[in-house]
Amino acid sequence: MSAPLLALRGAGASFHGASALSGVDLAIAPGEIVTVVGPNGAGKSTLIRLAIGALKPSAGKVERRAGLRIGYVPQKLHAEAAMPLTVDRFLKLGASAGRAERARMLEHVGAGGLAGRQLSALSGGQLQRALLARALLRKPDLLVLDEPTQGLDAPGAARFYALIEQVQREEGCAVLLVSHDLSVVMRASDRVVCLNGHVCCEGKPQAVLDSAEWKALFGASEAQALAFYQHRHDHDHDHVHDHDGACDHNHDHSHDHAHAAQGGGAAA
């Protein structure tokens, strides 16, 4: 088994004395798609910030493979209309790719006609494709996306996630993704991680769906909805999924996680 691209070892993060994450052990292998799920305030965005190096752990450590290239797509980006910036100029910032390569990448993500458009004039879906193109210009080993379809309607989100799957197949990069989308959790993920201030459960999608930890976090109705989606997906594609894998963490979820939402950061 190859060494992980990225590994969190007992990692934790605190803001103003309040714990946002604690004892997180998570490794990302080359080429795999890992989806992180959890309720609001679970620390999902904090985990992403630890992974990309935007936040230093207050406990434990984060290990990255030497020379690891990370491409990052944030939840959202606010582009000021008062500051003219075309999509092509945005892609050029901090990148060594030439004009032809930038144009090729925009075509690759289905945004070929946007190079001369103002960033502030893009729709939500167009902006996310521009952000994805910029991340891919780094030729990443690991593509990190923090709820990238926030604000998109259901068809737009479905198209964007289909694009992510296509990009992952073609580029061969690993993907670390925060998502609430059922189709991503059940269809595209190699592994699902349930987070609620710590790793409650992880494993293959079906193993997580069947776990007591998942039901404690999201309730029986959500589990039933996912089971219904899984049944339809299996029926539609006539494909048998391997459901090996286990949620080997047995945690008491009755305690309250206090997350700071001010100053130095917030759990989300």
Side-chain angles (χ1 to χ4, degrees), residues 87-268:
V87 171
D88 186 60
R89 285 184 61 194
F90 173 68
L91 297 186
K92 190 177 179 180
L93 295 175
S96 59
R99 183 182 293 273
E101 176 63 12
R102 298 195 301 271
R104 187 197 70 80
M105 190 57 70
L106 284 174
E107 289 285 352
H108 185 45
V109 301
L114 300 181
R117 293 275 301 277
Q118 291 295 316
L119 201 66
S120 60
L122 300 183
S123 69
Q126 290 171 336
L127 180 57
Q128 289 308 104
R129 288 171 185 264
L131 290 169
L132 178 60
R134 189 170 189 269
L136 292 174
L137 282 172
R138 294 181 56 84
K139 303 187 186 305
D141 306 300
L142 173 63
L143 181 62
V144 179
L145 306 100
D146 186 3
E147 297 194 58
T149 61
Q150 188 178 74
L152 300 186
D153 60 17
R159 287 191 295 270
F160 189 79
Y161 282 129
L163 175 61
I164 295 300
E165 292 181 64
Q166 175 189 335
V167 164
Q168 193 275 338
R169 288 193 302 268
E170 294 175 353
E171 303 292 331
C173 56
V175 174
L176 174 61
L177 170 70
V178 172
S179 176
H180 294 293
D181 190 274
L182 301 186
S183 65
V184 174
V185 172
M186 299 309 300
R187 180 191 67 205
S189 304
D190 296 311
R191 189 154 48 99
V192 176
V193 177
C194 281
L195 200 68
N196 193 23
H198 59 285
V199 175
C200 304
C201 181
E202 68 173 298
K204 292 188 177 181
Q206 188 63 44
V208 170
L209 171 61
D210 291 338
S211 71
E213 288 88 351
W214 174 276
K215 294 169 184 174
L217 276 178
F218 297 104
S221 60
E222 182 76 1
Q224 289 171 357
L226 274 169
F228 176 70
Y229 174 85
Q230 180 66 19
H231 171 76
R232 288 189 61 187
H233 176 69
D234 288 348
H235 177 74
D236 291 345
H237 294 276
D238 192 26
H239 176 72
V240 178
H241 290 271
D242 176 9
H243 298 324
D244 291 339
C247 297
D248 54 5
H249 298 77
N250 184 16
H251 298 291
D252 178 9
H253 298 291
S254 63
H255 62 283
D256 179 34
H257 292 288
H259 301 307
Q262 58 184 342

